[in-house]
Coordinates of all heavy atoms in Angstrom, one line a residue:
N2 N -8.1 0.2 5.0 CA -7.4 -0.7 4.1 C -7.0 0.0 2.9 O -7.7 0.4 2.0 CB -8.3 -1.9 3.7 CG -7.6 -3.0 3.0 OD1 -6.4 -2.9 2.8 ND2 -8.3 -4.1 2.7
T9 N -7.6 -13.2 -10.3 CA -8.4 -14.3 -10.6 C -7.6 -15.6 -10.7 O -8.2 -16.7 -10.5 CB -9.1 -14.1 -12.0 OG1 -8.1 -13.8 -12.9 CG2 -10.0 -12.9 -11.9
L19 N -0.7 -13.1 1.3 CA -0.2 -11.9 0.8 C -1.0 -10.7 1.4 O -0.4 -9.7 1.9 CB -0.2 -11.8 -0.7 CG 0.4 -10.7 -1.4 CD1 1.9 -10.5 -0.9 CD2 0.4 -10.8 -2.9
T26 N 1.9 -5.2 7.6 CA 2.9 -4.1 7.3 C 2.4 -2.7 7.4 O 2.9 -1.8 8.0 CB 3.6 -4.4 5.9 OG1 4.2 -5.7 5.9 CG2 4.6 -3.3 5.6
S29 N 1.7 -1.8 11.1 CA 3.0 -1.4 11.7 C 3.5 -0.1 11.3 O 3.9 0.8 12.1 CB 4.1 -2.5 11.4 OG 5.3 -2.1 11.9
Q39 N 1.2 12.3 11.8 CA -0.1 13.0 11.8 C -0.2 13.8 13.1 O -0.7 14.9 13.0 CB -1.2 12.0 11.7 CG -1.4 11.4 10.3 CD -2.4 10.3 10.3 OE1 -2.6 9.5 11.3 NE2 -3.1 10.2 9.2
K41 N 2.2 15.1 14.9 CA 3.1 16.3 14.7 C 2.4 17.3 13.8 O 2.4 18.5 14.1 CB 4.4 15.9 14.1 CG 5.4 17.0 14.0 CD 6.7 16.4 13.4 CE 7.7 17.5 13.2 NZ 9.0 17.1 12.7
C45 N 1.2 21.0 15.0 CA 1.7 22.2 14.3 C 0.6 23.1 13.8 O 0.6 24.3 14.0 CB 2.6 21.7 13.1 SG 3.2 23.0 12.0
S54 N -2.5 37.8 16.5 CA -2.3 38.9 15.5 C -2.1 38.4 14.1 O -1.9 39.2 13.2 CB -1.1 39.7 15.9 OG 0.1 38.9 15.9
S56 N -2.9 37.2 10.4 CA -4.0 37.5 9.4 C -4.5 36.1 9.0 O -3.9 35.1 9.2 CB -3.4 38.2 8.2 OG -2.5 37.4 7.5
S62 N -1.7 29.8 5.5 CA -0.4 29.4 5.0 C 0.3 28.5 6.1 O 0.9 27.5 5.7 CB 0.5 30.6 4.7 OG 0.0 31.3 3.7
R88 N 4.6 -4.9 -9.3 CA 5.6 -6.0 -9.3 C 4.9 -7.4 -9.1 O 5.3 -8.3 -9.8 CB 6.6 -5.8 -8.1 CG 7.6 -4.7 -8.4 CD 8.7 -4.7 -7.4 NE 8.3 -4.7 -6.0 CZ 8.2 -3.6 -5.3 NH1 8.5 -2.4 -5.8 NH2 7.8 -3.6 -4.0
C96 N 4.7 -16.0 -14.2 CA 4.4 -17.4 -13.8 C 3.3 -18.0 -14.8 O 3.5 -19.2 -15.1 CB 3.9 -17.4 -12.4 SG 5.2 -17.1 -11.2
E97 N 2.3 -17.2 -15.1 CA 1.3 -17.8 -16.1 C 2.0 -18.1 -17.4 O 1.6 -19.2 -17.9 CB 0.2 -16.7 -16.3 CG -0.7 -16.5 -15.1 CD -1.6 -15.3 -15.2 OE1 -1.5 -14.6 -16.2 OE2 -2.4 -15.1 -14.3
K103 N 4.9 -24.6 -20.8 CA 5.1 -26.0 -20.5 C 4.1 -26.9 -21.2 O 4.2 -28.1 -21.2 CB 5.1 -26.3 -19.0 CG 6.2 -25.6 -18.3 CD 7.3 -26.5 -17.8 CE 8.3 -25.7 -17.0 NZ 9.6 -26.2 -17.2
A111 N -1.4 -27.5 -13.4 CA -1.1 -26.1 -13.8 C -1.2 -25.2 -12.6 O -0.3 -24.3 -12.4 CB -2.0 -25.7 -14.9
Q112 N -2.2 -25.4 -11.7 CA -2.4 -24.5 -10.6 C -1.2 -24.7 -9.6 O -0.7 -23.7 -9.0 CB -3.7 -24.8 -9.9 CG -4.0 -23.9 -8.7 CD -4.2 -22.5 -9.0 OE1 -4.7 -22.2 -10.1 NE2 -3.8 -21.6 -8.2

Side-chain angles (χ1 to χ4, degrees):
N2 192 358
T9 55
L19 186 55
T26 301
S29 175
Q39 287 175 326
K41 182 178 178 180
C45 176
S54 63
S56 68
S62 294
R88 286 191 305 263
C96 287
E97 288 170 357
K103 298 252 185 216
Q112 183 67 31

